[in-house]
Amino acid sequence: MDVVGGKWKALILWALDERLHRFGELRRSLPGVSEKVLAQQLRELEADGIVRRTVFEETPPRVEYELTDEGVALYAALGALGEWSVRRMRKLDIVPTHGKE
């Protein structure tokens, strides 16, 4: 369970399920996360085989993040929890700031 522990990892999975992201795009899609924390969480998810980091040797350098097959499977397994969260937010009149509905 440590793979998705913490405040940001599930939200990172949610964002990456929609499509691959560059670091800046991912950070903008997660209001409140610091650059340091996001980088740390992405490194941990990469080490756990959940996220793939691709570096393109360009100028300026480009880095993209996407879910691996294991990440897609984990996201699917967390789907029921996500559905529950959306229902709960609606019940509490909380507007989601990102993700699918």
Side-chain angles (χ1 to χ4, degrees), residues 14-80:
W14 193 2
L16 291 177
D17 179 62
E18 294 177 332
R19 62 181 179 83
L20 61 84
H21 281 74
R22 293 177 69 175
F23 184 85
E25 294 172 322
L26 191 54
R27 184 167 180 222
R28 285 188 296 277
S29 74
L30 300 169
V33 68
S34 71
E35 189 171 317
K36 177 183 175 183
V37 169
L38 179 57
Q40 176 185 356
Q41 299 289 284
L42 286 167
R43 278 192 301 271
E44 290 173 11
L45 287 167
E46 184 182 10
D48 289 330
I50 304 302
V51 168
R52 179 179 304 110
R53 178 179 186 262
T54 305
V55 179
F56 296 89
E57 300 299 326
E58 304 174 342
T59 303
R62 177 172 48 118
V63 178
E64 294 178 342
Y65 295 90
E66 62 186 324
L67 294 180
T68 62
D69 289 342
E70 283 295 308
V72 171
L74 175 60
Y75 182 81
L78 294 174

